[in-house]
Amino acid sequence: MKKRLLFLTAALFTAACLTGCQQKDPEPGDIAGYDEGEEYLSIWVHSIEDTEEGQAYKESVETFNEAYDGKYFADIEFVPRNDSGGGYSDKVNASVMAGGLPDVLTVDGPNISAYAANGIIQPLADLTEEEESEYLPSIIEQGTVNDELYALGVMESSVGFYYNKDIIEEAGIEIPDADHPWTWSEFLDILEELKPLMDEKNGYPLDMTFPVGESSIYYFAPFVWSGGGELVSDDGLTVDGYFNSDQTKAAMEYFRTIVENEYMSEAPIDHLFESGRAAFKFDGAWEVNTIYTSYPDINLGVAPYIVSDDWDGEAYTPTGSWAFAASSETKDIEGATELVKWMSGVESGIRIWDMTKNFPSTYEAFENIDVFQTDENYSALYEQLSTYGHPRPKTPVYPQVSTSFQEVLESVALSGKDVDEELDKAVERIDQKLERYTRE
């Protein structure tokens, strides 16, 4: 009976895909604004329509249709993600199986390599050097797979290394400039210096956790990168010798040292930094707006992300967010590329900032948003992004790499397990996922 139910469910799912996942092919006049002689372009986004992000995408599509009136008509469909991250990805996966992908779709930055490897998206039509140079280097790097550009970010993101100016001043500590960040060794000395003061405040020098989910690799992979390491090979298909490299091992052991010396709490403490009981905190760029709006008594600063003692000045700070790409099913790659450029361009980036406070992806957008010129904290985050931004690992098995990074971090830093054993076990797990891509 159970097998029959499973078969019936699968059959109904397949039938639903065959009827509901087919690519839309309307005639001119079927949709308001779609006129004779225009090329129809469908576009999917991962947001709910009546959110700020959804409205930003909707307005960008409307301005595209105005700008390309008589040539292209873009038709947006909102396919929101659910709480577990599915919904949108479920529809994309179903459409890959049954057909019916749109011309253009949103892709979360770390998943671009997986979408490319699985034939969901295709390389964009060629951009000129001038067009590419409009985007932050991290955006171009994130969207490039095997030397071909597949996607352009609609927004960019980063993680700030925040500090409480009043506490740092009380301790008599000077913050370094962006090009001369504290090394790991120097930062351990700073934490040790701060510990007595923070004990008096019933707090810790550092507000840091190793959360389950994407945050751990997003926040802390830079500790590997700044030492010259990478978590995967350039082609994304090898992790042995990378994920378990000396650089990764050193980073994991560094976090263990921070925990053992009680510079941070082993258990998360809500609002530790925001309540004035921590001197430093790693958090997303959204923390600036959170402090400004909800904790105005905190005198906030942004310090340069700390680096390995072996840092050679190369890019290492966190980046990555949603991008637009052309699907493998589009029949007009030139038109799809024009839509991708528009949705990720200057005007759209300014709109994304104004409506959602997500960072844009182009230099010109940043330069036309006043706060990035006048506010020292936002300016510091922009400088960090544009100068030292490094995309997350580019591999078709990114979810497994991300999960494994968090698991090893927790096992080594919090539980004190053997770092070599934990890294080697993680490599074995990731290799199992890589098999389908490395078979000859």
Side-chain angles (χ1 to χ4, degrees):
M1 179 66 178
K2 186 176 181 180
K3 288 184 178 178
R4 288 172 59 193
L5 287 172
L6 288 171
F7 177 80
L8 179 59
T9 300
L12 289 172
F13 177 78
T14 301
C17 283
L18 290 173
T19 57
C21 296
Q22 297 299 309
Q23 192 174 42
K24 291 169 68 175
D25 191 21
E27 296 293 327
D30 290 348
I31 301 172
Y34 176 32
D35 300 324
E36 200 73 45
E38 292 180 327
E39 183 76 26
Y40 178 83
L41 297 170
S42 53
I43 177 171
W44 289 356
V45 297
H46 59 277
S47 302
I48 298 172
E49 182 175 1
D50 60 1
T51 61
E52 290 86 354
E53 186 177 357
Q55 286 299 303
Y57 294 145
K58 184 178 180 180
E59 289 185 18
S60 291
V61 167
E62 289 172 349
T63 58
F64 174 85
N65 287 337
E66 291 172 2
Y68 286 90
D69 185 34
K71 185 173 184 180
Y72 297 121
F73 176 82
D75 184 20
I76 189 169
E77 181 175 348
F78 298 89
V79 188
R81 296 186 299 163
N82 57 33
D83 291 339
S84 63
Y88 181 76
S89 59
D90 293 340
K91 180 162 183 175
V92 170
N93 292 334
S95 297
V96 171
M97 295 169 58
L101 286 169
D103 295 289
V104 170
L105 68 165
T106 51
V107 188
D108 198 5
N111 294 327
I112 291 169
S113 291
Y115 273 46
N118 287 284
I120 299 172
I121 57 178
Q122 63 175 296
L124 297 172
D126 290 341
L127 273 66
T128 66
E129 287 187 15
E130 182 179 355
E131 287 175 326
E132 283 199 18
S133 68
E134 295 174 1
Y135 295 87
L136 300 183
S138 57
I139 291 293
I140 299 299
E141 177 65 20
Q142 172 187 263
T144 301
V145 182
N146 296 328
D147 297 324
E148 293 191 283
L149 184 62
Y150 279 80
L152 291 170
V154 59
M155 59 183 77
E156 186 52 292
S157 70
S158 193
V159 177
F161 179 41
Y162 303 104
Y163 67 96
N164 184 311
K165 288 185 176 181
D166 295 334
I167 293 175
I168 295 304
E169 183 179 349
E170 183 179 354
I173 295 169
E174 290 191 16
I175 300 296
D177 65 57
D179 295 324
H180 302 88
W182 283 320
T183 64
W184 292 359
S185 298
E186 291 169 337
F187 188 54
L188 286 178
D189 292 340
I190 295 293
L191 294 174
E192 182 64 26
E193 184 179 345
L194 281 166
K195 196 170 187 311
L197 176 61
M198 299 318 299
D199 285 344
E200 292 177 7
K201 299 178 184 294
N202 192 30
Y204 291 87
L206 181 59
D207 184 357
M208 187 165 78
T209 61
F210 307 127
V212 174
E214 182 63 13
S215 295
S216 283
I217 194 170
Y218 180 40
Y219 290 12
F220 304 125
F223 285 75
V224 178
W225 301 330
S226 72
E230 293 289 346
L231 296 172
V232 301
S233 60
D234 287 345
D235 64 5
L237 300 178
T238 303
V239 290
D240 192 15
Y242 294 88
F243 195 93
N244 54 353
S245 68
D246 290 342
Q247 292 92 338
T248 308
K249 177 181 175 180
M252 296 296 174
E253 290 176 330
Y254 184 73
F255 292 124
R256 179 60 185 165
T257 298
I258 289 174
V259 173
E260 285 182 329
N261 290 343
E262 298 183 350
Y263 298 144
M264 61 172 278
S265 172
E266 291 191 35
I269 300 175
D270 289 340
H271 311 304
L272 184 68
F273 181 79
E274 293 79 4
S275 63
R277 295 188 295 134
F280 297 103
K281 181 182 184 179
F282 293 98
D283 208 345
W286 53 80
E287 177 73 359
V288 177
N289 191 55
T290 298
I291 294 293
Y292 287 174
T293 57
S294 301
Y295 303 93
D297 291 338
I298 295 295
N299 194 2
L300 184 70
V302 177
Y305 234 76
I306 64 172
V307 295
S308 163
D309 291 22
D310 298 324
W311 184 53
D312 61 2
E314 293 298 312
Y316 72 101
T317 61
T319 66
S321 194
W322 286 90
F324 283 95
S327 89
S328 58
E329 295 184 24
T330 184
K331 298 175 183 177
D332 184 358
I333 189 60
E334 296 289 342
T337 299
E338 288 301 314
L339 181 54
V340 167
K341 290 190 296 185
W342 187 274
M343 297 300 293
S344 62
V346 175
E347 183 181 323
S348 297
I350 294 173
R351 183 179 294 109
I352 279 287
W353 167 259
D354 287 342
M355 299 179 73
T356 72
K357 292 299 176 278
N358 283 300
F359 286 12
S361 60
T362 64
Y363 288 106
E364 188 175 342
F366 275 107
E367 291 163 3
N368 280 279
I369 298 171
D370 184 65
V371 72
F372 290 106
Q373 324 308 319
T374 60
D375 183 281
E376 64 176 356
N377 293 320
Y378 280 118
S379 178
L381 289 172
Y382 171 41
E383 180 180 3
Q384 175 178 289
L385 260 180
S386 58
T387 307
Y388 294 115
H390 187 301
R392 276 167 272 180
K394 297 193 292 183
T395 173
V397 296
Y398 177 79
Q400 186 65 51
V401 171
S402 176
T403 299
S404 296
F405 186 91
Q406 189 279 328
E407 290 173 347
V408 173
L409 185 53
E410 185 174 296
S411 296
V412 174
L414 295 182
S415 301
K417 294 184 179 180
D418 183 83
V419 63
D420 291 305
E421 289 183 8
E422 294 302 306
L423 287 172
D424 287 342
K425 286 192 295 185
V427 166
E428 290 179 9
R429 292 193 298 269
I430 299 168
D431 275 341
Q432 290 174 359
K433 296 291 185 180
L434 278 169
E435 281 183 5
R436 62 172 291 202
Y437 300 100
T438 55
R439 293 193 195 104
E440 293 185 355

